[in-house]
Amino acid sequence: MPKYDSQKVEKKWQKKWLEEKVYEPDLKNPKKPFYNLMMFPYPSAEGLHVGNMYAFTGSDIYGRYQRMRGNDVFEPIGLDGFGIHSENYALKVGTHPMEQAKVSEKRFYEQLQAIGNGFAWDEHLETYDPEYYKWTQWIFTQMWKRGLAYRKKQRVNWCPKDKTVLADEQVEGGKCERCGSVVEKRELEQWFFRITAYAEKLLQNIEKLDWSEKVKIAQRNWIGRSEGALLKFPVMGSKLSIEVFTTRPDTLFGATYMVLAPEHALVLELKEKISNWKDVEKYIESSKKKTEDERIAEGKEKTGVELKGVKAINPANKEEIPIWLADYVLSGYGTGAIMAVPAQDERDSEFAKKFKLPIRTVIEPITGEPRTDESERAGIVAIVEDPKTGKILSLDWRDGGGVLFVGGGIESGEDLIRCGVREIIEETGYKNLKFISSTETIHHHFHAFSKNKNRYMHAIGLYFQLENEEREKERLEDHEKDKFIVGWITKDEAESKVKDAMHQYIFQKLIRGKCYSGPGLLANSGKFSGMDSEKAKWEITKFVGGEKKIQYRLRDWLISRQRYWGPPIPMVYCEACAKENKGEQKEMPGWFAVLENELPVELPKVKDFRPQGKGESPLASVKDFYETTCPGCGGKARRETDVSDTFLDSAWYYLRYLDPKNEKEVFDKKIIKKWLPAEMYIGGAEHAVLHLLYVRFIAMVFHDLGLVEFDEPFKRFRAHGLLIKEGAKMSKSKGNVVNPDEYIKKFSADVLRMYLMFLAPFDQGGDFRDAGILGIERFLNRTWKLYESEGKKNKTSPAFHRAVKKVTEDIESLHYNTAISALMILLNEFEKEGIAPEEKVGFVKLLAPFAPHMAEEIWREVLGHKTSIHKEMWPEYDEKLIKEESFTLVIQINGKVRASVEVPIDISENRAKETALGNERVCALLDGKELKKVIYVPKKLINIVV
RNA sequence: GCCCGGGUGGCGGAACUGGCAGACGCGCAGGACUCAAAAUCCUGUGAUCGCAAGGUCGUGUGGGUUCAAUUCCCACCCCGGGCACCA
């Protein structure tokens, strides 16, 4: 038998698989269709990243396994080649994106071949192929026809480096997701998709999806549904009123002022009445100029200006309240105005404190949480005695906010009750809770404590910081010093004691509760006082004539990009029609979709494809491109010159895969019906709210257009983890990107595949270090050797059946690392015990998804089969054979393992106990001791308590 | 600040509904083979005390529940990811 030459063998099978069409299911007539989708990559032309390979391998193992389960697995591949990412690369290397795309495509596809995935190459597609983007544009026209695409002037995110607008989803912490530049705000007219129309459905459907939980949570948060009320606050001496959205209408009586976003339209309407207009104007200007970054740099420091001369009326208590302008209120959310309830809202509270606005408490916590009382704030030391250990613990509360023991000290027990300390004491069982003050305020408190010692507490001791020892001794001279001073601790000791759990508990409850924003009982709220806040919400809404309202955080999808490398938006604007108010949509005169038979609107090859930076695409200076005729009147018209967001390309690619060469239709409905929704979709968690939300949205629109029957495209979605390199994220800037090619050359694709999967659980990601790769190489070499040797055993072992079970279950749950470990254990067993014929067949099948090349080589060349192993049936295991006949009974004494004996699996409890108590070692250890209890856990252990 | 993950030997990681912590692999040490090295094979490998039998400690920290806690409860600390003034 020849030595295993991985390089040759892998190339041989990759070629053969293509010839034999092993991975090409019959798309039109599948028996058991199984769509195994993987997020397609953006080709960066530097080549395939080992991180891509990690993800692809994980998906492929699953696909290969499903194929061996008798499914017609469809595992397509393509390139998400349009977009800023690819365009920027082209700019960097100075090649035209169209040329660069060809280069990247070749390179990527070669690499994707080399990793040994079972891709259906016949159906490959590229988003920059006119045959593809023809349909991307067609989708745009469908959106338009359904009223889901519209133009709007809005403050949008502008990336100064990429010179284009960005969707909200593409801005991370005020910076461009791609290049990291600080995003600016620009007022531009742009195309949007009305994704908000589907907010509720996008949210509701999440429940029925079998998706990674973290992705579901991220989507829920992104959609951000909240239930509240719309309330109107009349402006004094005018017919105008300010409408606000609030989730807490129950706090209306505590609304002591209002805030409008600086962009709020009402400000201009009130201009005449505002006495300090200059200041107001200045504030508006300055907040307009502020970039996101500046806002973040300011932190949460509130700024604002009062609209002097105007007042609003609180509809609940008819109180006149001031109106402010502040940028902590966002124009894009709710109505762009709020009612401020500083007593019950953290942000309002901050603002009110800074600008000295009145604060009125309207919600009292039911459980006795602390009240905020600004005026009474100082440091406190609490001394607590643990009732069990008698240990004295202490805590220095400095600058706390919670509270009342200070200044006036504790006047009565009611104070304690009010702040909830008693509940805490009772709850925790710390009965002897004592409080004393810090050194600064000691005299004050000393008296208070002495006086109150027979009430809810009494002081037993005072701890002082060591450095003040002398001073404090002096100060205490007059008091009952000896009785109270129990010890001295250093500052460090005091600080370490702060960490004590009991204190932290109190700390949480008393000090950190800044301003109370939870539910409770209403106070200072007229006839609603005393009512439960939940109930009061709708009662008060009704009382002031407000209406219930559901608000979403989700905003419409900004689809235009002022770049070159994307599908031109297939719209035409006719000025003449606009003047006559003609057009396809009433709200948008002059606009027409390009006719279907004129699609695609081809992206012209222009020399200067550089972004312009004027809020216009490079296409805006290509006359040949934008000059066209109006589909409405036939006159001169101008094409839209923006291109669409890359995420539109990837929002429907999975549909096109099934019929990529269809020239007549976007896809074949019959085929779609057979294959979708997809059984499995695997991809990166970084797309949790971008791609994965858009793709669902487009599917829903297709559903409503009657194009598809499903309204969710993927039954299962699993996010893979992130592959990092020696503890750090792989990135070009760090220069630690690992190229799989060299590893494939040095070892083999099989070795690299298995190594990547063995690193860590697939959904967790892993740390790529060269260190462990030898282990996998050895494993595969030993496997090869095993098949070289003659089997001398005939009977299939239970170990084999156990391994089949383990590997099967692990692949299904994507726990590839433990599946591989099970294969290793089995190999160890075979090397020791020999391998039976059935095991020889089974083992190589178990290996096939992980190391497809070697498995095929063994299957065909060594075992002499004519057809591919990858179309063989997955081995079955026999539950009966897995059952053990005996088990190791562990004998514990007081929870510690003292002995173990091998006993039959069906041993009775009594018999087991007898065995345990009869054990020599146990007898010796138990000698003379009285048995208190014997616990028997079937098939596990016996614990003898003495 | 909020929401998700996570914290286990020298390292990557394993441990089902609480039941022998450290599977599997890497690394390391010792041995075999070899003139030698590599490769391969065998043995050992959490810490600590002990000549040994064996004992003690040990899953981020501090508490708790339990016959028994990596696993459950409370609080805290740290790391990774996401969101971030969303009323």
Side-chain angles (χ1 to χ4, degrees):
Chain A
M1 195 161 135
K3 201 176 164 292
Y4 186 77
D5 181 345
S6 62
Q7 305 299 316
K8 252 193 208 154
V9 169
E10 295 192 344
K11 287 217 177 71
K12 174 176 82 182
W13 291 119
Q14 282 163 14
K15 206 173 142 221
K16 199 105 185 189
W17 290 333
L18 280 181
E19 285 166 17
E20 295 176 359
K21 297 207 176 291
V22 172
Y23 309 119
E24 297 291 344
D26 183 348
L27 291 176
K28 289 208 173 97
N29 297 300
K31 282 184 206 88
K32 284 173 76 185
F34 192 103
Y35 200 154
N36 184 50
L37 186 64
M38 171 65 209
M39 284 182 186
F40 64 166
Y42 353 91
S44 67
E46 275 138 354
L48 195 73
H49 197 269
V50 76
N52 295 119
M53 176 167 168
Y54 177 75
F56 282 120
T57 305
S59 169
D60 188 55
I61 289 168
Y62 191 75
R64 286 181 183 279
Y65 164 75
Q66 291 296 349
R67 190 176 292 107
M68 292 176 81
R69 288 250 101 150
N71 291 309
D72 295 320
V73 173
F74 181 49
E75 190 173 306
I77 184 70
L79 295 175
D80 190 10
F82 254 152
I84 294 181
H85 197 93
S86 304
E87 187 180 329
N88 281 351
Y89 184 79
L91 282 167
K92 192 178 129 197
V93 298
T95 322
H96 193 278
M98 279 184 185
E99 307 298 334
Q100 188 54 48
K102 281 181 214 155
V103 177
S104 306
E105 185 179 312
K106 186 165 174 275
R107 174 135 173 70
F108 248 71
Y109 281 163
E110 273 168 11
Q111 284 183 299
L112 285 165
Q113 278 289 354
I115 65 172
N117 271 31
F119 289 130
W121 283 101
D122 288 359
E123 281 76 29
H124 74 93
L125 59 79
E126 298 78 37
T127 54
Y128 46 78
D129 179 353
E131 276 309 301
Y132 181 85
Y133 71 72
K134 169 182 175 177
W135 299 105
T136 308
Q137 291 172 336
W138 179 83
I139 290 167
F140 193 102
T141 65
Q142 298 305 304
M143 300 295 282
W144 163 253
K145 280 175 190 154
R146 254 194 109 75
L148 291 168
Y150 67 98
R151 266 173 89 80
K152 179 171 79 173
K153 194 169 186 181
Q154 196 182 289
R155 269 188 98 192
V156 290
N157 309 301
W158 175 267
C159 173
K161 191 159 169 241
D162 286 337
K163 299 193 172 87
T164 183
V165 297
L166 299 170
D168 291 331
E169 289 85 342
Q170 288 162 334
V171 179
E172 284 179 357
K175 290 182 179 170
C176 173
E177 177 202 30
R178 281 177 205 285
C179 68
S181 340
V182 174
V183 169
E184 295 166 5
K185 289 285 180 186
R186 280 203 183 183
E187 195 90 20
L188 290 171
E189 193 166 295
Q190 301 286 309
W191 285 99
F192 289 87
F193 276 175
R194 214 180 292 281
I195 191 170
T196 51
Y198 284 82
E200 189 60 32
K201 194 168 182 191
L202 286 165
L203 183 71
Q204 292 297 326
N205 276 8
I206 292 174
E207 302 314 315
K208 65 176 191 188
L209 296 175
D210 176 13
W211 283 25
S212 296
E213 208 47 42
K214 60 197 280 197
V215 172
K216 290 168 72 167
I217 290 164
Q219 294 217 350
R220 267 186 221 116
N221 292 344
W222 191 263
I223 295 166
R225 181 188 200 268
S226 53
E227 219 169 274
L230 283 175
L231 306 176
K232 278 190 179 139
F233 285 63
V235 177
M236 271 190 62
S238 105
K239 279 178 198 151
L240 300 168
S241 67
I242 301 169
E243 191 167 42
V244 301
F245 170 73
T246 175
T247 54
R248 295 298 302 271
D250 50 314
T251 63
L252 181 56
F253 284 84
T256 51
Y257 64 102
M258 306 198 74
V259 187
L260 307 182
E263 300 90 346
H264 202 284
L266 204 76
V267 184
L268 290 172
E269 292 183 46
L270 293 171
K271 188 177 172 183
E272 302 303 308
K273 297 187 181 201
I274 297 169
S275 58
N276 59 337
W277 180 249
K278 278 222 167 107
D279 293 342
V280 172
E281 209 173 18
K282 218 169 106 193
Y283 184 75
I284 297 173
E285 278 310 306
S286 78
S287 72
K288 243 188 208 169
K289 267 187 242 149
K290 253 187 239 175
T291 63
E292 285 293 310
D293 203 45
E294 277 165 347
R295 275 193 172 197
I296 287 158
E298 274 173 15
K300 303 234 158 128
E301 184 64 32
K302 303 277 183 292
T303 60
V305 62
E306 187 180 354
L307 303 182
K308 289 194 177 139
V310 286
K311 296 263 182 209
I313 296 169
N314 183 329
N317 52 18
K318 310 293 175 209
E319 213 172 64
E320 286 176 28
I321 56 174
I323 305 168
W324 285 68
L325 221 57
D327 64 5
Y328 83 91
V329 172
L330 309 172
S331 60
Y333 186 78
T335 62
I338 61 153
M339 64 177 211
V341 185
Q344 259 66 59
D345 182 278
E346 196 53 49
R347 296 150 302 177
D348 297 344
S349 156
E350 260 177 59
F351 192 80
K353 280 173 198 162
K354 182 163 172 186
F355 294 101
K356 308 251 179 320
L357 290 156
I359 299 172
R360 186 190 310 125
T361 301
V362 286
I363 303 287
E364 295 277 10
I366 297 164
T367 49
E369 260 95 345
R371 283 192 357 187
T372 310
D373 202 339
E374 261 312 285
S375 63
E376 297 189 340
R377 208 181 228 220
I380 300 170
V381 175
I383 305 254
V384 180
E385 187 183 329
D386 186 323
K388 284 201 175 160
T389 61
K391 219 162 95 189
I392 303 282
L393 311 163
S394 86
L395 168 68
D396 192 352
W397 284 336
R398 214 129 304 202
D399 193 32
V403 184
L404 29 148
F405 309 99
V406 213
I410 296 150
E411 298 302 330
S412 69
E414 278 74 53
D415 283 347
L416 270 180
I417 295 166
R418 200 178 62 205
C419 79
V421 169
R422 258 189 73 201
E423 282 84 347
I424 295 166
I425 297 167
E426 276 158 19
E427 227 174 292
T428 54
Y430 282 87
K431 295 278 190 296
N432 299 321
L433 188 65
K434 289 110 191 166
F435 291 94
I436 61 168
S437 76
S438 72
T439 51
E440 277 85 345
T441 44
I442 180 64
H443 287 284
H444 244 100
H445 298 283
F446 193 80
H447 295 290
F449 282 109
S450 313
K451 266 191 257 163
N452 286 285
K453 62 181 168 187
N454 293 320
R455 298 183 116 165
Y456 290 97
M457 81 231 115
H458 60 254
I460 55 150
L462 305 174
Y463 281 83
F464 294 113
Q465 290 180 12
L466 205 52
E467 46 268 54
N468 296 333
E469 187 171 345
E470 288 313 310
R471 201 185 84 201
E472 295 302 340
K473 265 186 187 160
E474 241 169 72
R475 292 174 90 179
L476 279 169
E477 214 79 298
D478 303 338
H479 304 289
E480 303 166 79
K481 187 172 72 182
D482 296 332
K483 201 168 156 192
F484 289 101
I485 297 175
V486 296
W488 304 89
I489 54 174
T490 63
K491 204 175 163 197
D492 284 354
E493 280 169 29
E495 270 168 18
S496 81
K497 285 184 179 181
V498 167
K499 293 205 169 91
D500 177 79
M502 170 59 198
H503 287 113
Q504 291 299 343
Y505 187 61
I506 297 173
F507 184 75
Q508 281 295 316
K509 283 227 169 185
L510 285 181
I511 305 296
R512 237 185 230 179
K514 288 175 190 162
C515 99
Y516 184 72
S517 57
L521 298 179
L522 268 66
N524 302 319
S525 299
K527 63 176 181 181
F528 299 98
S529 293
M531 192 184 275
D532 179 78
S533 59
E534 249 343 278
K535 193 181 166 209
K537 273 185 185 173
W538 312 119
E539 298 273 328
I540 291 184
T541 304
K542 220 167 97 188
F543 175 63
V544 298
E547 55 172 298
K548 230 175 164 172
K549 160 99 181 167
I550 290 160
Q551 184 70 42
Y552 300 92
R553 202 192 83 113
L554 182 71
R555 275 175 249 180
D556 279 340
W557 178 8
L558 169 54
I559 207 91
S560 325
R561 294 293 179 275
Q562 291 69 44
R563 296 285 297 225
Y564 169 72
W565 193 232
I569 290 175
M571 297 296 296
V572 172
Y573 181 70
C574 171
E575 211 151 323
C577 288
K579 273 186 193 145
E580 291 175 39
N581 235 349
K582 278 194 216 155
E584 290 178 336
Q585 302 274 341
K586 246 194 265 160
E587 303 78 29
M588 297 185 56
W591 282 101
F592 296 88
V594 173
L595 297 171
E596 188 173 332
N597 59 21
E598 284 176 21
L599 293 176
V601 177
E602 277 208 48
L603 182 66
K605 187 167 179 181
V606 298
K607 260 192 207 152
D608 193 10
F609 58 89
R610 241 159 279 277
Q612 309 291 296
K614 287 173 275 174
E616 269 185 351
S617 148
L619 295 177
S621 35
V622 183
K623 217 172 166 192
D624 286 354
F625 176 78
Y626 65 72
E627 280 189 340
T628 187
T629 50
C630 172
C633 66
K636 262 193 169 180
R638 189 185 160 94
R639 269 187 208 291
E640 170 63 66
T641 53
D642 283 356
V643 299
S644 61
D645 182 10
T646 329
F647 280 103
L648 182 58
D649 303 328
S650 56
W652 72 285
Y653 74 115
Y654 66 100
L655 291 158
R656 189 69 184 173
Y657 269 144
L658 287 160
D659 194 9
K661 298 189 180 73
N662 195 329
E663 286 175 25
K664 290 192 199 104
E665 287 176 292
V666 60
F667 48 69
D668 183 328
K669 278 192 199 174
K670 270 185 280 172
I671 299 178
I672 294 293
K673 199 178 160 186
K674 289 200 165 113
W675 289 89
L676 286 162
E679 296 295 328
M680 177 60 115
Y681 191 26
I682 289 175
E686 69 273 20
H687 290 115
V689 286
L690 288 145
H691 166 63
L692 285 171
L693 199 63
Y694 297 146
V695 83
R696 293 179 59 216
F697 165 52
I698 296 294
M700 285 176 188
V701 175
F702 275 26
H703 173 83
D704 290 353
L705 285 168
L707 290 166
V708 298
E709 285 178 25
F710 58 87
D711 61 357
E712 283 294 340
F714 317 119
K715 279 189 211 161
R716 291 180 86 198
F717 172 80
R718 290 292 178 272
H720 64 249
L722 191 70
L723 193 67
I724 55 170
K725 166 85 176 165
E726 272 139 34
K729 213 169 163 172
M730 275 188 218
S731 73
K732 270 174 274 168
S733 55
K734 283 194 195 106
N736 61 352
V737 177
V738 178
N739 186 327
D741 295 0
E742 50 179 298
Y743 286 88
I744 291 176
K745 221 178 224 168
K746 194 168 166 198
F747 299 94
S748 70
D750 283 346
V751 168
L752 185 56
R753 281 170 68 102
M754 279 189 92
Y755 174 60
L756 290 174
M757 295 301 109
F758 187 57
L759 277 176
F762 186 56
D763 60 0
Q764 189 188 303
D767 195 348
F768 190 91
R769 292 166 203 256
D770 292 5
I773 199 162
L774 283 174
I776 297 290
E777 202 191 21
R778 286 180 197 142
F779 167 76
L780 286 177
N781 286 342
R782 281 161 56 206
T783 300
W784 182 250
K785 263 195 205 149
L786 180 76
Y787 279 88
E788 276 182 316
S789 66
E790 289 299 312
K792 22 182 176 151
K793 201 180 70 168
N794 278 317
K795 201 169 162 277
T796 305
S797 63
F800 171 74
H801 286 269
R802 267 200 299 277
V804 174
K805 183 177 155 90
K806 175 82 178 145
V807 173
T808 305
E809 287 170 358
D810 283 350
I811 292 179
E812 272 172 10
S813 57
L814 271 49
H815 290 140
Y816 302 137
N817 58 332
T818 47
I820 292 171
S821 141
L823 290 174
M824 289 173 167
I825 294 170
L826 188 58
L827 177 66
N828 290 344
E829 174 94 6
F830 288 154
E831 284 179 339
K832 253 186 235 142
E833 308 292 331
I835 183 165
E838 188 194 353
E839 293 169 337
K840 262 198 166 171
V841 172
F843 185 67
V844 69
K845 284 185 182 175
L846 294 180
L847 183 69
F850 300 96
H853 307 93
M854 183 182 274
E856 188 78 301
E857 180 75 5
I858 291 172
W859 186 251
R860 298 215 219 181
E861 306 292 350
V862 181
L863 301 177
H865 293 273
K866 293 274 177 291
T867 53
S868 175
I869 188 170
H870 302 296
K871 296 234 169 183
E872 286 297 316
M873 287 308 285
W874 189 250
E876 299 288 334
Y877 59 90
D878 189 340
E879 199 71 57
K880 272 179 265 162
L881 288 170
I882 290 170
K883 268 197 192 151
E884 305 263 2
E885 274 159 19
S886 65
F887 71 98
T888 312
L889 179 72
V890 172
I891 304 163
Q892 296 182 334
I893 295 171
N894 286 342
K896 292 200 167 136
V897 182
R898 294 299 175 203
S900 61
V901 276
E902 199 69 15
V903 295
I905 196 89
D906 52 359
I907 191 168
S908 72
E909 182 168 346
N910 283 338
R911 191 77 197 86
K913 282 182 183 168
E914 278 168 33
T915 312
L917 293 168
N919 184 285
E920 220 177 291
R921 212 169 114 64
V922 174
C923 282
L925 286 160
L926 286 181
D927 184 42
K929 283 176 192 144
E930 194 190 332
L931 296 191
K932 278 198 195 125
K933 212 194 241 180
V934 179
I935 290 140
Y936 175 65
V937 184
K939 289 178 199 169
K940 290 261 156 63
L941 54 70
I942 277 183
N943 190 9
I944 302 160
V945 188
V946 291

